[in-house]
Amino acid sequence: MGASLEEEIKKRRTFAIISHPDAGKTTLTEKFLLYGGAINTAGSVKGKANSKYAVSDWMEIEKERGISVTSSVLQFNYDGYCINILDTPGHQDFSEDTYRTLMAADSAVMVIDASKGVEAQTIKLFKVCVMRHIPIFTFINKMDLEARDSFELLDEIENVLGIRTCPINWPIGAGKRFKGVYDRDTKKVSMFQAVSVGGAKSAAETDYDVTDPALKDAGGDELYAQLMDEIELLDGASDEFDQELVDKGELSPVFFGSALTTFGVQTFLEHFLKMTQSPLPRMSDAGLIDPITEPFSGFVFKIQANMNKAHHDRIAFMRISSGKFDATKEVYHVQSGRKLRLSQPQQIMAQDRKVIDEAYAGDVIGVFDPGIFSIGDTLCTPGKKFQYEGIPTFAPEHFCRLVHLDSMKRKQFIKGVTQIAQEGAIQMFQDYTLGMSEIIVGVVGVLQFDVLKYRLENEYGCDIRLEPLPYNYIRWVKDPSTDLNKLSRISDCKKVKDMKDNPLLLFANEWSIRLMLEHNEGLELEEFRKN
Ligand code: GDP
């Protein structure tokens, strides 16, 4: 007999892995997949040889990799759990989609390079996790290389990110002397034996009780003494594990290991799966929607227009938030008020797409978009009519003035930019005074400028020029009736409006934001805008 709906949903764990590029996200993901039996050899998640491409190669890469340039989803089973990993791309791939993916996750795993500590991109992604109050788990990776002091790393996470930490295991040595990890709960030490770096599933380990005299022989006197000192320090000084605080995203359980050698990876995965939660109720305008007792519903968090000219399709990524999705049944699209059958629903596994018949709360599926979906839209069972909370608009960090070179095709040009903005690939603004005669576009990742230019040229036949603007910060003016022309100190920044006429300001640096606030009492500026 198959599992019940409740069992299916309860065994699901849907999380995103966040990190600064090169911290080891791909390697860790691969090791998870190896444990789950989803792949057989390391190196198959994505062609890493391709990932350090120049911007100009982007279109080719996009074609080769199909949909995988922006976030994809990996699903696999492990130990009775059904795991969905949401990828958050880095490098030039970094875009608003990276942020939006976090809207679909129930928790996040933060991978930190032990020699580097907390890095810029991690901070950005972390802020979005905090906004959602989702649990955040920390994996301090690359312990097999020279690492910074473990206590210092914990301090940095606490100080820079402002979250409490609770080490679940503790490393024994680092670099060539990274010998094992101590599990603070079971008080057992796993000592690693060397493994081949490539396809090995997991490291051979020998477990010792921390009081076992054989441990001293295995680790050597010096490391043993150091471990004893550190355990004492930890027990005295660190936060205790508290599931409730973890659930609220206020305490991050911390693990140490090495994704490359697999040391500490399996124990991390197992603890993590127990400490993280199955899909939770989600807020809508009709209150919380329970994932188990409510029938099918979900929301669109990303739309991808395929760059491959052979497929002129748009795919909407939907996170199922309640019940079971059945491909044979009609669903209700709340925003358009239309009933429709979603054609060819599919699971996007790295490069592969697989058509599916059913999926459950917690899963993420891709569906063909007949051109009616927008980011944040709700799909539900006919007869229901609620809407999930919108997906916030994230602050773009790069801005260009968009100049159209052929005045004859103005209408086509406006239509093109507007549509691309609706898909969420870019954000579109107009000059505060000049209106639509000066269009400004903003993006989170600069690669999106190339996407915009390519698509305007190829799909809309528009010749354009992008003129970079010297601003990196955008703020929504909280009170939309504010007259920006009346503000003091306005010459440092650029005044714009979004397409709904909300006033915004573009700044070169944080310093000028502070100055602006100091000189305009009562002015309130916002970094995110909830739609
Ligand atoms: P990503 O950019 O975060 O996905 O990072 P990758 O997983 O691609 O790793 C970046 C580089 O670090 C690759 O060369 C990996 O082989 C290497 N790497 C990842 N994890 C470890 C680790 O635990 N130890 C060592 N020594 N190298 C690692």
Side-chain angles (χ1 to χ4, degrees):
M1 213 183 72
S4 70
L5 175 85
E6 180 167 354
E7 284 165 346
E8 282 290 352
I9 296 173
K10 285 225 161 123
K11 71 179 190 185
R12 275 166 166 76
R13 297 289 183 276
T14 303
F15 61 94
I17 306 192
I18 61 174
S19 73
H20 193 80
D22 285 336
K25 182 164 62 85
T26 310
T27 312
L28 186 66
T29 307
E30 259 168 14
K31 295 297 151 81
F32 285 171
L33 294 180
L34 283 170
Y35 294 141
I39 55 170
N40 296 315
T41 49
S44 44
V45 171
K46 50 179 161 169
K48 275 308 266 190
N50 284 341
S51 66
K52 310 246 170 359
Y53 50 84
V55 172
S56 59
D57 296 338
W58 184 80
M59 295 302 154
E60 278 316 304
I61 298 289
E62 177 76 86
K63 264 186 234 161
E64 263 168 48
R65 294 205 288 183
I67 201 151
S68 60
V69 162
T70 37
S71 340
S72 53
V73 190
L74 300 159
Q75 188 181 64
F76 66 99
N77 293 299
Y78 178 79
D79 199 19
Y81 294 96
C82 175
I83 298 163
N84 291 301
I85 303 185
L86 306 174
D87 187 21
T88 54
H91 299 274
Q92 296 106 316
D93 295 357
F94 197 84
S95 73
E96 283 212 299
D97 282 341
T98 312
Y99 287 144
R100 290 191 193 111
T101 296
L102 292 171
M103 298 292 130
D106 295 322
S107 62
V109 168
M110 173 165 77
V111 182
I112 286 179
D113 181 329
S115 69
K116 303 219 169 99
V118 178
E119 295 176 87
Q121 199 149 301
T122 311
I123 299 176
K124 287 201 218 170
L125 291 161
F126 179 85
K127 277 192 189 167
V128 182
C129 297
V130 168
M131 184 177 85
R132 293 207 46 224
H133 308 289
I134 58 174
I136 299 162
F137 296 81
T138 306
F139 185 76
I140 299 188
N141 190 33
K142 303 201 187 183
M143 286 304 296
D144 60 308
L145 299 176
E146 280 318 307
R148 282 171 49 190
D149 177 70
S150 304
F151 286 104
E152 197 186 299
L153 285 167
L154 293 183
D155 277 348
E156 183 169 295
I157 295 169
E158 300 212 342
N159 295 331
V160 176
L161 301 177
I163 188 171
R164 312 296 297 266
T165 60
C166 162
I168 304 297
N169 67 20
W170 194 254
I172 300 165
K176 288 200 182 70
R177 292 169 74 218
F178 180 43
K179 292 277 176 74
V181 287
Y182 164 68
D183 186 315
R184 295 183 62 211
D185 181 36
T186 59
K187 310 224 180 306
K188 283 211 173 0
V189 172
S190 297
M191 297 297 274
F192 310 131
Q193 267 115 48
V195 289
S196 70
V197 162
K201 268 208 171 161
S202 64
E205 297 175 0
T206 313
D207 287 352
Y208 299 88
D209 199 88
V210 75
T211 53
D212 186 343
L215 173 63
K216 217 174 188 172
D217 299 335
D221 289 349
E222 196 192 325
L223 278 180
Y224 181 79
Q226 188 186 340
L227 175 67
M228 292 305 132
D229 284 351
E230 290 182 346
I231 291 176
E232 206 182 308
L233 242 165
L234 270 177
D235 291 346
S238 78
D239 274 289
E240 272 177 45
F241 177 76
D242 179 332
Q243 185 71 51
E244 224 174 280
L245 291 179
V246 172
D247 293 347
K248 286 198 270 185
E250 289 172 17
L251 178 71
S252 179
V254 177
F255 300 81
F256 293 83
S258 156
L260 190 70
T261 59
T262 72
F263 291 170
V265 175
Q266 193 157 10
T267 168
F268 166 56
L269 180 62
E270 286 173 3
H271 277 93
F272 164 70
L273 289 170
K274 287 196 197 99
M275 291 174 181
T276 180
Q277 305 176 74
S278 55
L280 292 173
R282 212 174 171 99
M283 192 47 91
S284 78
D285 59 1
L288 283 172
I289 303 295
D290 186 84
I292 296 167
T293 56
E294 289 287 332
F296 161 76
S297 70
F299 63 93
V300 174
F301 65 94
K302 180 174 114 169
I303 292 177
Q304 165 115 16
N306 205 319
M307 308 302 293
N308 188 337
K309 282 213 144 182
H311 306 260
H312 259 309
D313 52 1
R314 295 208 319 174
I315 292 190
F317 284 76
M318 171 174 54
R319 152 81 199 234
I320 300 174
S321 7
S322 68
K324 175 184 172 181
F325 169 75
D326 179 343
T328 63
K329 296 208 174 118
E330 282 196 316
V331 300
Y332 180 67
H333 175 231
V334 179
Q335 274 74 5
S336 70
R338 275 167 62 176
K339 266 200 276 186
L340 69 161
R341 185 163 300 154
L342 297 172
S343 73
Q344 295 199 41
Q346 48 200 305
Q347 217 148 43
I348 319 268
M349 273 283 295
Q351 281 105 327
D352 302 326
R353 303 172 179 198
K354 186 176 85 191
V355 174
I356 51 144
D357 305 319
E358 56 181 46
Y360 294 87
D363 291 342
V364 167
I365 59 172
V367 295
F368 276 103
D369 173 12
I372 59 169
F373 297 149
S374 296
I375 287 161
D377 283 4
T378 301
L379 290 148
C380 58
T381 302
K384 299 265 172 183
K385 259 199 181 143
F386 60 84
Q387 284 185 27
Y388 281 110
E389 275 190 338
I391 290 186
T393 300
F394 295 98
E397 290 169 24
H398 307 276
F399 301 89
C400 276
R401 186 179 291 120
L402 183 57
V403 183
H404 184 215
L405 301 174
D406 176 2
S407 56
M408 299 296 286
K409 288 188 182 160
R410 174 110 189 133
K411 238 173 130 179
Q412 185 68 0
F413 164 71
I414 300 286
K415 184 177 154 206
V417 201
T418 310
Q419 278 184 353
I420 295 169
Q422 274 164 0
E423 281 170 24
I426 55 145
Q427 286 182 47
M428 182 177 173
F429 307 97
Q430 45 185 328
D431 184 83
Y432 188 67
T433 322
L434 302 172
M436 287 292 276
S437 29
E438 184 179 295
I439 295 177
I440 291 118
V441 290
V443 298
V444 169
V446 285
L447 194 64
Q448 297 300 318
F449 285 138
D450 296 86
V451 175
L452 174 68
K453 188 165 163 52
Y454 180 90
R455 292 191 56 193
L456 280 175
E457 283 168 3
N458 285 273
E459 293 172 29
Y460 299 91
C462 295
D463 214 3
I464 60 131
R465 189 173 67 227
L466 285 157
E467 295 175 352
L469 294 170
Y471 306 103
N472 291 106
Y473 296 83
I474 189 166
R475 292 293 181 270
W476 277 263
V477 179
K478 195 168 178 195
D479 175 5
S481 64
T482 311
D483 181 354
L484 301 191
N485 289 320
K486 298 221 171 101
L487 297 176
S488 3
R489 277 269 168 187
I490 198 77
S491 57
D492 284 4
C493 59
K494 183 159 178 70
K495 298 164 284 175
V496 298
K497 294 188 283 191
D498 63 16
M499 301 319 286
K500 292 177 184 153
D501 280 341
N502 294 307
L504 298 105
L505 292 167
L506 308 185
F507 296 93
N509 48 47
E510 292 193 356
W511 184 71
S512 51
I513 302 178
R514 269 202 305 278
L515 266 186
M516 168 65 81
L517 289 170
E518 276 168 24
H519 285 84
N520 294 279
E521 225 190 289
L523 177 71
E524 284 184 76
L525 301 173
E526 291 176 321
E527 196 174 342
F528 302 109
R529 168 58 53 107
K530 277 219 165 169
N531 289 331

